Amino acid sequence: MGMTPNSRPAGRVQRTPDFDLSMADLRAVAAFNLACALQVIDLFEAVQPHDARPRDALVAAEDFVRGGPRSRAQRIGAPAAHRASKQVSGAASHAAMAAGDAAASAYLHPLAEASQVGHILRGPSHCVLALEMRAVEPLTRAAATAAVLEQSTPAVVEVLCRYPRAATRDRATAEVMSSLDVQLRESVS
């Protein structure tokens, strides 16, 4: 049984949506996350060639982007890739997190909360950090950010602008996420 953009698993309180969020909107966000994660997945696979969890998360995200339903594949693939990230460090860890976040991005909710911005920008932020930390030809933060921003589309920016800005925190991922947030929003100004 498929879920609508506003539905939640049994046992959770369903909140009234703050705005419309279509499947096309969700697919645009997932496509952005997928494109970013694909830039760095090789960094994880080079270190853990027999661990398919991040790649499986990307396949689940791609299935959704290509028109498939939100499914158990994304719900299981995302945390599995996140667990795989804990078994490695540096760029490989960030690459696995980006893969998990690509699958999780299908579950962005239409709630005007800054925490929801993570479904849009956390994966791309991990991609920036992976590109910056890779052993061969690491990018500067500015160049890595530019590589991620190139993957964005007007549809992603339009969805992002429905949400409050991401909060700046002291963690590297949150700092990059906040920077991406500002740059994407300013691209429409």
Side-chain angles (χ1 to χ4, degrees), residues 66-88:
R66 291 184 181 221
R70 295 194 298 180
S71 70
R72 192 168 191 268
Q74 292 96 28
R75 285 197 176 274
I76 291 174
H82 292 156
R83 284 190 300 277
S85 78
K86 306 256 187 271
Q87 297 176 343
V88 293

Side-chain angles (χ1 to χ4, degrees), residues 87-114:
Q87 297 176 343
V88 293
S89 62
S93 178
H94 287 293
M97 287 297 292
D101 288 341
S105 66
Y107 287 93
L108 173 66
H109 296 292
L111 304 173
E113 298 172 356

Side-chain angles (χ1 to χ4, degrees), residues 4-5 12 19-20 26 34 41 56 60 72 76 79 90 94-95 99 110 143-144 154-155 164 167 171 179 181-182:
T4 64
R12 291 194 183 172
F19 45 77
D20 290 331
L26 293 171
L34 177 62
I41 189 62
D56 290 345
R72 192 168 191 268
I76 291 174
H94 287 293
R171 285 187 41 216
S179 174
D181 187 10
V182 168

Side-chain angles (χ1 to χ4, degrees), residues 157-181:
V157 176
E158 196 276 323
V159 171
L160 176 65
C161 287
R162 296 178 198 169
Y163 293 89
R165 288 189 181 271
T168 303
R169 296 181 213 131
D170 56 349
R171 285 187 41 216
T173 306
E175 179 184 311
V176 173
M177 193 169 84
S178 181
S179 174
L180 289 172
D181 187 10

Side-chain angles (χ1 to χ4, degrees), residues 11-167:
R12 291 194 183 172
V13 175
Q14 185 168 339
R15 291 187 36 203
T16 303
D18 295 316
F19 45 77
D20 290 331
L21 193 62
S22 71
M23 280 296 172
D25 294 333
L26 293 171
R27 285 190 173 90
V29 169
F32 173 49
N33 273 265
L34 177 62
C36 291
L38 287 171
Q39 292 183 73
V40 296
I41 189 62
D42 62 309
L43 300 172
F44 177 84
E45 292 175 337
V47 176
Q48 293 284 73
H50 303 294
D51 188 343
R53 292 176 293 177
R55 179 64 68 173
D56 290 345
L58 292 178
V59 169
E62 184 174 20
D63 288 346
F64 175 69
V65 167
R66 291 184 181 221
R70 295 194 298 180
S71 70
R72 192 168 191 268
Q74 292 96 28
R75 285 197 176 274
I76 291 174
H82 292 156
R83 284 190 300 277
S85 78
K86 306 256 187 271
Q87 297 176 343
V88 293
S89 62
S93 178
H94 287 293
M97 287 297 292
D101 288 341
S105 66
Y107 287 93
L108 173 66
H109 296 292
L111 304 173
E113 298 172 356
S115 62
Q116 289 297 312
V117 175
H119 283 299
I120 304 170
L121 297 177
R122 191 175 38 248
S125 297
H126 281 291
C127 181
V128 167
L129 294 169
L131 290 168
E132 191 178 39
M133 297 173 88
R134 68 185 181 190
V136 178
E137 297 181 24
L139 298 181
T140 64
R141 172 76 50 93
T145 298
V148 163
L149 292 174
E150 285 177 13
Q151 304 303 317
S152 180
T153 64
V156 170
V157 176
E158 196 276 323
V159 171
L160 176 65
C161 287
R162 296 178 198 169
Y163 293 89
R165 288 189 181 271

